[in-house]
């Protein structure tokens, strides 16, 4: 190993080697072939002169870029968010030059915890997520190009799968508290009654308190943007005690969840993206 490289950013050539190896492993996995990760690590080390620890860290950085884009990442390479701008650009180029639909497609199979449920986590803090090396400009441009929020919103199968999982989770939760009566009354409103109510599922707390759940499902991480409608915001303001956004993320890696309670402005930074326009004619 080259001791002089310790602590220094990776060159573009070194990054290209890592990105190519990462996507090769993904292709092997997709084809159902066994993956020898240690062999890949040794090959990257031989070319780059980096330590095994540095190689694995950089592979985890690749996972972080994919995670920001809502793309499933390789098991064994948990995303490390402090990635170089050059790495983000290399991943972007790979996605453009290959067949991104294979990675960005409508796969909806959730990956659940051993008990068959999502992992409940705390909402993300406002303190950030340690992206000191990652330019926010580069990250925003990358996300805008692949637009995971719009992609997930258009993926109706993904949205329906997330809602179905929440219905199942809510019924199991109430049954665990002995409230089989309430479990039977959990209603999948958006599926049975159609959109327009401003929420997807009517559920309850074990004490009988009403819960109106609007499910937001993405394949990316907890900070992946999602779309919210004016009607949903109105219902949240009208019934703040009952309303919750049930956030599901990492749907294809390890489904995790948290709730967002009104007032939504306290927890979400909402940006107008679409406006209702009407012709305006000058007065005579």
């Amino acid at each position: 190993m080259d001791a002089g490289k310790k602590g220094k950013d990776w060159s573009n050539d070194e990054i290209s080697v890592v990105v190519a190896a990462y996507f090769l492993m993904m292709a092997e996995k997709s084809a159902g072939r066994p993956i020898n990760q240690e062999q890949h690590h040794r090959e990257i080390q031989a070319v780059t002169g980096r330590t095994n620890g540095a190689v694995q860290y950089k592979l985890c950085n690749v996972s972080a870029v994919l995670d920001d884009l809502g793309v499933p990442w390789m098991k064994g390479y948990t995303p490390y968010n402090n990635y170089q701008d050059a790495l983000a650009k290399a991943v972007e180029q790979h996605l453009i030059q290959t067949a991104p639909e294979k990675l960005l497609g409508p796969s909806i199979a959730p990956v659940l915890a051993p008990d068959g449920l999502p992992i409940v986590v705390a909402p993300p803090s406002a303190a950030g997520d340690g992206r000191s090396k990652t330019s926010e400009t580069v990250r925003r441009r990358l996300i805008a190009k692949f637009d995971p929020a719009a992609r997930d919103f258009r993926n109706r199968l993904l949205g329906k799968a997330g809602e179905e999982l929440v219905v199942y989770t809510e019924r199991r939760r109430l049954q665990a508290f002995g409230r089989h009566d309430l479990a039977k009354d959990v209603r999948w409103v958006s599926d049975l009654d159609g959109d327009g109510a401003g929420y997807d599922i009517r559920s309850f707390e074990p004490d009988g308190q009403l819960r109106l759940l609007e499910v937001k499902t993405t394949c990316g991480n907890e900070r992946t943007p999602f779309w919210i409608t004016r009607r949903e915001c109105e219902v949240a303001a009208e019934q703040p005690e009952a309303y919750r956004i049930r956030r599901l993320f990492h749907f294809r890696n390890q489904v995790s969840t948290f709730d967002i309670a009104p007032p939504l402005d306290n927890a979400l930074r909402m940006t107008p993206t679409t406006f209702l326009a009407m012709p305006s004619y000058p007065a005579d």
Side-chain angles (χ1 to χ4, degrees), residues 39-91:
Q39 178 62 31
H40 283 287
H41 296 171
R42 287 192 293 269
E43 291 172 355
I44 297 171
Q45 286 180 262
V47 176
T48 63
R50 299 283 181 166
T51 66
N52 185 53
V55 167
Q56 292 191 52
Y57 190 94
K58 193 59 65 174
L59 289 165
C60 291
N61 283 159
V62 177
S63 289
V65 179
L66 296 179
D67 197 33
D68 279 338
L69 298 179
V71 176
W73 31 268
M74 283 284 297
K75 184 177 181 180
Y77 299 116
T78 300
Y80 290 168
N81 287 318
N82 192 18
Y83 54 77
Q84 295 173 246
D85 290 354
L87 180 71
K89 293 174 182 177
V91 173

Side-chain angles (χ1 to χ4, degrees), residues 23-283:
F23 282 100
L24 176 59
M25 286 189 281
M26 289 192 77
E28 291 173 343
K29 178 183 177 183
S30 179
R33 294 191 294 268
I35 303 171
N36 188 334
Q37 291 176 307
E38 290 303 321
Q39 178 62 31
H40 283 287
H41 296 171
R42 287 192 293 269
E43 291 172 355
I44 297 171
Q45 286 180 262
V47 176
T48 63
R50 299 283 181 166
T51 66
N52 185 53
V55 167
Q56 292 191 52
Y57 190 94
K58 193 59 65 174
L59 289 165
C60 291
N61 283 159
V62 177
S63 289
V65 179
L66 296 179
D67 197 33
D68 279 338
L69 298 179
V71 176
W73 31 268
M74 283 284 297
K75 184 177 181 180
Y77 299 116
T78 300
Y80 290 168
N81 287 318
N82 192 18
Y83 54 77
Q84 295 173 246
D85 290 354
L87 180 71
K89 293 174 182 177
V91 173
E92 174 186 359
Q93 286 303 310
H94 187 94
L95 290 173
I96 292 172
Q97 293 169 6
T98 57
E101 64 277 2
K102 293 181 180 178
L103 296 173
L104 307 178
S107 172
I108 59 168
V111 179
L112 299 168
D115 62 359
L117 297 172
I119 297 174
V120 179
V121 300
S125 71
D129 51 4
R131 299 178 184 273
S132 59
K133 281 191 179 180
T134 309
S135 163
E136 192 63 21
T137 300
V138 169
R139 182 169 173 267
R140 286 182 179 178
R141 179 184 58 77
L142 187 64
I143 292 174
K145 177 172 286 189
F146 293 96
D147 202 348
R151 189 174 68 246
D152 287 339
F153 182 80
R154 290 192 301 266
N155 189 347
R156 299 296 183 181
L157 293 177
L158 174 66
K160 188 170 183 178
E163 293 171 15
E164 185 175 23
L165 177 58
V166 171
V167 170
Y168 170 75
T169 300
E170 286 298 291
R171 286 173 176 162
R172 276 194 56 176
R173 181 177 65 87
L174 291 166
Q175 289 166 357
F177 279 98
R179 296 305 307 264
H180 297 273
D181 55 332
L182 294 178
K184 289 189 296 184
D185 285 340
V186 172
R187 185 173 181 82
W188 190 353
V189 174
S190 60
D191 186 59
L192 297 174
D193 305 326
D195 294 327
Y199 58 92
D200 297 310
I201 296 162
R202 186 191 67 203
S203 187
F204 307 90
E205 292 300 319
D207 63 2
Q209 183 181 4
L210 181 66
R211 277 285 175 262
L212 306 178
L213 302 176
E214 173 59 32
V215 183
K216 299 297 182 182
T217 306
T218 61
C219 294
N221 59 39
E222 67 275 19
R223 294 182 185 274
T224 299
F226 57 86
W227 286 7
I228 187 168
T229 68
R230 180 175 179 176
R231 177 59 179 157
E232 290 159 6
C233 292
E234 290 172 346
V235 178
E238 293 165 0
Q239 302 191 61
E241 295 300 320
Y243 199 89
R244 296 292 184 271
I245 291 179
R246 177 65 52 85
R247 183 77 171 90
L248 299 180
F249 61 97
H250 283 165
F251 201 71
R252 290 184 284 176
N253 273 99
Q254 180 69 78
V255 187
S256 300
T257 183
F258 59 85
D259 281 358
I260 300 172
L264 299 183
D265 287 343
N266 288 353
L268 301 172
R269 185 174 68 246
M270 292 187 280
T271 304
T273 59
T274 305
F275 297 87
L276 177 65
M278 299 180 63
S280 177
Y281 299 99

